[in-house]
Amino acid sequence: MLYRTVWMSDLHLGTRGSNAAGVLEFLRENEFERLYLVGDVIDIWRLRKERYWPQSHNDVIQKILRKARKGTQVIVIPGNHDEFCLNFLGVYGNIVVKERDVYTTAGGERLLIMHGHEFDSVTIHAPWMAHLGDVGYTLLLALNKPLNLVRRLFGLGHWSLSAYVKQNVKKVVSSISRFEEAVAHYAELHRVGSIVCGHIHTPAVRQIRGVNYYNTGDWVESSTALVEHLDGRLELVYWRERSVDNVIPIAAAPTDLADKSRLLTATR
């Protein structure tokens, strides 16, 4: 496919849970004029604890650099797991590193783009709790693999234990709701009608108080990307199965979008 712009976040390269193969497949099979990497591309938190960097993760970085050399504009928005990139804000050929950005689609929609950790009170005020949560999340991801191996033996599809826990723990659901409200309010303050972010690994397309809220999801569980077609249409693509049911058109009614976004696999 040929797109005008693509937004991807939370690749978490450097972790065993990263779907680097899916990222590489997506980059190989699609072309686009610009690529936004909306935070947590490389998971420095995990690399500090465990040196894990297989060839597939290196291939993703090389593919992104190759696209930049061939003319794709790459905009890197650092997240909390790769905040070291904030030390390198600036322009490097076709690669730009900035804290946030405002982008206008071909249809005239103005999008505020940021990772989203700025609205996470745990990350800001209690980083040790964020690291503790990261350990628990890693454990859930590790349990996902043997669980899905057994499911495949019985002819069952992919199922995420971490997603199930996240979607059914009331405190987590409440925190996601508060996060989305805070993001929408921030967009209102900046006088933009839409905002694109990542961070909470919960792909979503919905309206919140009149603000279009787009969450790109992640490439650990949901394998989702937000894409803009050449005519300005936006879609949330679930790459794992790449079926029509896993493409969410922005033109759908807000209630439908909210319902469909909950069907996507979501993790923290």
Side-chain angles (χ1 to χ4, degrees), residues 17 136-146 160 162 220-221 267:
Y137 174 51
T138 301
L139 176 60
L140 288 175
L141 287 177
L143 293 173
N144 275 343
K145 293 182 178 180
S160 172
S162 52
V220 177
E221 287 288 341
T267 62

Side-chain angles (χ1 to χ4, degrees), residues 118-252:
E118 298 89 342
F119 306 102
D120 188 340
S121 59
V122 172
T123 299
I124 297 173
H125 301 295
W128 65 270
M129 289 184 64
H131 283 276
L132 182 62
D134 182 59
V135 172
Y137 174 51
T138 301
L139 176 60
L140 288 175
L141 287 177
L143 293 173
N144 275 343
K145 293 182 178 180
L147 177 62
N148 280 288
L149 177 61
V150 173
R151 287 177 62 85
R152 283 196 296 272
L153 292 176
F154 285 91
L156 300 175
H158 179 86
W159 183 78
S160 172
L161 174 62
S162 52
Y164 177 81
V165 171
K166 185 174 183 179
Q167 292 169 346
N168 288 276
V169 175
K170 290 184 178 180
K171 287 186 178 180
V172 176
V173 174
S174 177
S175 68
I176 292 175
S177 178
R178 290 196 302 272
F179 172 87
E180 294 175 345
E181 287 286 338
V183 169
H185 180 63
Y186 190 80
E188 291 174 341
L189 292 177
H190 281 71
R191 298 182 180 179
V192 294
S194 307
I195 190 164
V196 176
C197 62
H199 184 54
I200 60 172
H201 295 204
T202 305
V205 177
R206 61 171 59 92
Q207 278 199 342
I208 303 175
R209 297 201 311 270
V211 173
N212 295 323
Y213 168 79
Y214 307 117
N215 194 297
T216 60
D218 69 293
W219 288 81
V220 177
E221 287 288 341
S222 56
S223 300
T224 47
L226 182 68
V227 301
E228 178 195 8
H229 290 271
L230 300 181
D231 61 2
R233 290 182 299 111
L234 298 178
E235 289 182 333
L236 185 61
V237 177
Y238 183 27
W239 189 250
R240 186 183 299 277
E241 296 178 3
R242 291 175 293 167
S243 66
V244 174
D245 291 338
N246 289 323
V247 177
I248 302 179
I250 304 309

Side-chain angles (χ1 to χ4, degrees), residues 52-88:
Y52 180 77
W53 191 264
Q55 184 60 44
S56 60
H57 293 209
N58 195 59
D59 291 342
V60 170
I61 298 298
Q62 291 300 320
K63 184 62 176 176
I64 292 172
L65 293 176
R66 192 174 302 117
K67 280 187 173 292
R69 288 196 299 269
K70 292 183 177 181
T72 299
Q73 184 182 17
V74 178
I75 303 95
V76 179
I77 310 289
N80 53 309
H81 284 253
D82 55 9
E83 59 187 353
F84 76 96
C85 290
L86 291 173
N87 297 318
F88 303 96

Side-chain angles (χ1 to χ4, degrees), residues 7-73:
W7 293 265
M8 305 172 73
S9 73
D10 298 274
L11 278 58
H12 287 280
L13 299 175
T15 70
R16 298 181 184 276
S18 175
N19 181 17
V23 175
L24 190 59
E25 181 187 55
F26 180 89
L27 294 175
R28 284 173 173 169
E29 295 191 18
N30 297 284
E31 297 294 334
F32 27 84
E33 298 175 9
R34 67 189 56 78
L35 169 65
Y36 276 93
L37 297 172
V38 195
D40 289 357
V41 176
I42 299 176
D43 196 325
I44 298 300
W45 286 12
R46 181 52 49 185
L47 286 173
R48 287 171 179 165
K49 301 173 183 177
E50 177 187 17
R51 292 186 178 181
Y52 180 77
W53 191 264
Q55 184 60 44
S56 60
H57 293 209
N58 195 59
D59 291 342
V60 170
I61 298 298
Q62 291 300 320
K63 184 62 176 176
I64 292 172
L65 293 176
R66 192 174 302 117
K67 280 187 173 292
R69 288 196 299 269
K70 292 183 177 181
T72 299
Q73 184 182 17

